[in-house]
């Protein structure tokens, strides 16, 4: 398996934008579970129907569903040749355990936490106007992030795979910090 990277960060921290830039730069496949779910909702597939209610309420889609989707996506040929940058997965420690198993060994090469304070993240989300970006769903997602996703930082830290990158600044500044972190990998 070539390079396997994970980008973490609370909602509104800019992971989507930066993940796309990084994937392009390193030639790895950008896998965004949020994008996959939104595409499924738009296409009206069974997955979309199952995920929509949770997404609209700002809740997490179940681990079973998410692990199934990612397991299937990571089995594709493009990923075994080019490697992957996961954006939006894992979101829970159960998903992290499953990812380690899917990738074999101890999991991804590096998890980057793109760090943006809550106040700034909330402001950014209100500015972008996605369907699920109303104030109630935003605060619900941020709450869930602290509860479910923040422990992931410990999960990666315990395995020596975590790096924290300051997400404040211009897109270029943040990208330079991120590529320095990835470039420092052995
Ligand atoms: P955000 O980071 O703002 O939550 P995403 O695009 O990453 O946006 O995800 C949108 C929604 O899709 C989430 O609110 C959640 O309902 C669902 N989702 C995406 N990835 C996962 C995941 N790994 N586990 C559970 N739910 C997920």
């Amino acid at each position: 398996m070539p390079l396997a990277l994970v980008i973490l960060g609370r909602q509104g921290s800019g992971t989507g934008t930066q993940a796309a830039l990084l994937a392009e730069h390193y030639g790895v496949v950008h896998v965004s579970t949020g994008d996959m779910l939104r595409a499924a909702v738009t296409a009206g597939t069974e997955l979309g129907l199952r995920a929509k209610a949770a997404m609209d309420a700002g809740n997490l889609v179940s681990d079973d569903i998410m692990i199934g989707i990612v397991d299937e996506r990571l089995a594709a040929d493009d990923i075994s040749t080019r490697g992957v940058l996961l954006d939006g997965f894992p979101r829970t420690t159960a998903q992290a355990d499953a990812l380690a198993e899917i990738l074999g060994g101890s999991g991804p090469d590096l998890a980057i936490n793109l760090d943006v304070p809550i106040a700034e993240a909330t402001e950014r989300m209100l500015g972008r106007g996605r369907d699920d970006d109303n104030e109630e769903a935003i605060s619900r997602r941020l709450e869930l992030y602290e509860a479910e996703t923040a422990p992931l930082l410990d999960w990666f830290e315990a395995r020596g795979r975590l790096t924290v990158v300051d997400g404040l600044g211009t897109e270029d500044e943040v990208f330079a910090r991120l590529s320095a972190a990835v470039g420092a990998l052995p």
Side-chain angles (χ1 to χ4, degrees):
M1 177 79 186
L3 200 58
L5 302 170
V6 167
I7 189 160
L8 304 165
R10 65 167 53 90
Q11 293 78 3
S13 61
T15 58
T17 307
Q18 293 293 338
L21 294 170
L22 269 180
E24 165 96 39
H25 186 76
Y26 286 96
V28 298
V29 181
H30 177 201
V31 172
S32 158
T33 47
D35 286 351
M36 290 170 78
L37 291 172
R38 279 184 290 276
V41 169
T42 303
T45 63
E46 197 194 319
L47 165 66
L49 294 175
R50 286 164 73 192
K52 190 174 187 319
M55 292 173 74
D56 284 347
N59 287 323
L60 291 180
V61 175
S62 76
D63 284 339
D64 273 6
I65 293 181
M66 296 312 303
I67 291 166
I69 296 173
V70 169
D71 191 15
E72 191 179 315
R73 182 65 188 88
L74 295 190
D77 285 348
D78 58 340
I79 289 181
S80 47
T81 50
R82 290 167 51 201
V84 67
L85 171 56
L86 281 163
D87 165 16
F89 187 97
R91 280 275 233 280
T92 63
T93 49
Q95 292 179 14
D97 287 335
L99 178 63
E101 201 166 305
I102 292 167
L103 293 173
S106 49
D109 300 292
L110 186 67
I112 303 169
N113 180 34
L114 191 56
D115 190 32
V116 171
I118 288 193
E120 167 74 14
T122 305
E123 213 164 288
R124 290 185 188 179
M125 274 192 278
L126 285 172
R128 72 188 177 183
R130 211 171 67 191
D131 267 5
D132 54 350
D133 282 343
N134 56 74
E135 264 185 80
E136 210 171 300
I138 286 176
S139 65
R140 171 92 188 122
R141 298 213 299 283
L142 286 169
E143 228 171 76
L144 265 179
Y145 183 83
E146 302 309 320
E148 302 252 18
T149 312
L152 277 178
L153 303 183
D154 300 337
W155 191 101
F156 285 109
E157 176 86 301
R159 287 157 184 80
R161 302 286 165 95
L162 184 71
T163 186
V164 180
V165 168
D166 178 6
L168 291 177
T170 66
E171 219 170 277
D172 287 352
E173 284 164 351
V174 175
F175 180 69
R177 290 179 206 132
L178 285 168
S179 35
V182 177
L185 278 174

